[in-house]
């Protein structure tokens, strides 16, 4: 018998290692560099990082947030991304059957990259958005359960429809917004990432994600304005809010939505 805690520890450790790779993608993709070569090296002095200084989450604490080679400060965001990925993978693994959990974990990895690259650069790399559409279509074919479908064709059809509603819906909102407010409210990156979310999660996730992301954006944007936070200035990227809303959907939002809609249809 496999002990109970192992079902949490194993996906946590896998998630921590994946999170370490996500840090590489977050740093290198916007710079147009390869995420495979060269191996991990110090951003300050270029020295290669030996494996014992590159253990996800742990090394940052053991080295007290400084590089062993030259002592340059290492941002706390690195262990944070690793811990976040680890915790999310552990929850997903225990929430869904293996094939579904794996598909959601791949989607979640994309959401984390999109979030942190958007915070840093105000862009969402095509590797994540266009790659996410392709991954969503492929995984929906392999795991039709993503859309409650029972055949590969059923899964693919739902995925294509979801991508069209996701991309098309947000494009229409952005188009209307640009006419009404006479300024760009959303970038192409947001539109492409919502198409990817539709491909993974189906069309019914799209109104949930747009609604929840807009609410989160309004609340947090308002709080930042009140505090006159200079961190993000007046420009707030929308990608992290879309990603947060998609994550809520994956973690149970589609069940809450079904329960909520049932209130109206049953009454
Ligand atoms: Zn160094």
């Amino acid at each position: 018998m496999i002990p109970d805690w192992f079902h949490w520890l194993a996906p946590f450790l896998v998630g921590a290692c994946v999170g370490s790779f996500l840090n590489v993608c977050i740093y290198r993709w916007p710079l147009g560099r390869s995420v495979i070569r060269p191996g991990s090296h110090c951003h300050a002095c270029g020295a290669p990082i030996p494996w014992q200084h590159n253990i996800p989450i742990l090394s940052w604490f053991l080295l007290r947030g400084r590089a062993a080679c030259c002592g340059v400060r290492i941002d706390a965001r690195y262990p944070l991304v690793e811990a976040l990925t680890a915790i999310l993978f552990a929850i997903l693994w225990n929430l869904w059957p293996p094939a579904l959990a794996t598909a959601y974990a791949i989607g979640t990895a994309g959401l984390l990259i999109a979030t942190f690259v958007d915070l840093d650069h105000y862009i969402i790399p095509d590797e994540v958005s266009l790659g996410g559409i392709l991954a969503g279509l492929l995984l929906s074919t392999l795991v039709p359960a993503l859309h409650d479908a029972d055949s590969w064709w059923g899964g693919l059809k739902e995925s294509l429809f979801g991508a069209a509603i996701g991309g098309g819906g947000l494009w229409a909102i952005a188009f209307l917004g640009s006419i009404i407010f006479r300024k760009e409210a959303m970038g192409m990156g947001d539109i492409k990432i919502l198409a990817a979310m539709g491909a993974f999660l189906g069309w019914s996730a799209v109104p949930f994600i747009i609604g929840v992301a807009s609410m989160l954006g309004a609340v947090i944007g308002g709080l930042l304005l009140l505090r006159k936070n200079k961190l993000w200035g007046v420009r707030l990227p929308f990608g992290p809010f879309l990603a947060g809303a998609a994550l809520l959907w994956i973690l149970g939002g589609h069940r809450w939505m079904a329960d909520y809609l049932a209130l109206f249809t049953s009454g």
Side-chain angles (χ1 to χ4, degrees):
M1 276 297 284
I2 301 169
D4 220 27
W5 52 263
F6 190 77
H7 292 290
W8 289 91
L9 182 67
F12 183 91
L13 293 178
V14 171
C17 294
V18 170
S20 182
F21 180 65
L22 297 187
N23 274 322
V24 177
C25 298
I26 291 164
Y27 184 78
R28 293 189 189 177
W29 266 344
L31 306 177
R33 291 199 210 149
S34 162
V35 294
I36 311 290
R37 282 159 208 266
S40 296
H41 58 273
C42 175
H43 298 324
C45 71
I49 301 172
W51 68 268
Q52 69 271 23
H53 290 156
N54 211 6
I55 302 164
I57 308 173
L58 274 184
S59 283
W60 188 86
F61 288 97
L62 292 174
L63 296 168
R64 292 161 204 265
R66 290 190 179 279
C69 41
C70 60
V72 72
R73 192 170 270 289
I74 304 168
D75 203 293
R77 209 178 77 181
Y78 288 93
L80 182 87
V81 167
E82 288 158 357
L84 201 58
T85 315
I87 292 167
L88 287 170
F89 274 30
I91 294 174
L92 288 173
W93 188 254
N94 286 278
L95 202 57
W96 305 108
L100 204 50
T102 306
Y104 280 147
I106 293 169
T108 300
L111 293 177
L112 288 168
I113 299 175
T115 295
F116 289 102
V117 173
D118 206 6
L119 285 173
D120 286 348
H121 303 277
Y122 295 101
I123 55 154
I124 296 172
D126 281 342
E127 284 92 338
V128 181
S129 56
L130 298 183
I133 296 173
L134 281 178
L137 292 172
L138 182 69
L139 284 167
S140 300
T141 311
L142 294 172
V143 190
L146 270 171
H147 303 279
D148 288 324
D150 42 25
S151 69
W152 69 268
W153 168 239
L156 179 61
K157 213 166 48 180
E158 288 293 325
S159 181
L160 282 167
F161 191 55
I165 295 288
L170 197 59
W171 180 83
I173 291 174
F175 182 70
L176 279 178
S178 68
I179 291 174
I180 296 168
F181 302 112
R182 292 172 183 280
K183 68 175 192 132
E184 291 288 323
M186 265 169 289
M188 274 310 287
D190 296 323
I191 292 169
K192 284 184 276 186
I193 196 80
L194 198 67
M197 290 169 182
F200 263 90
L201 307 174
W203 73 268
S204 58
V206 171
F208 176 93
I209 291 170
I210 294 177
V212 171
S214 305
M215 275 192 292
L216 287 174
V219 170
I220 293 177
L223 287 175
L224 289 179
L225 270 182
L226 278 179
R227 292 191 51 197
K228 294 205 192 312
N229 195 315
K230 294 267 165 59
L231 190 66
W232 283 333
V234 284
R235 219 172 138 214
L236 205 56
F238 196 44
F241 298 112
L242 288 171
L247 203 54
L248 280 178
W249 180 264
I250 291 171
L251 294 175
H254 47 331
R255 283 185 183 161
W256 309 329
M257 199 64 186
D259 292 347
Y260 180 70
L261 291 174
L263 283 179
F264 296 98
T265 48
S266 66

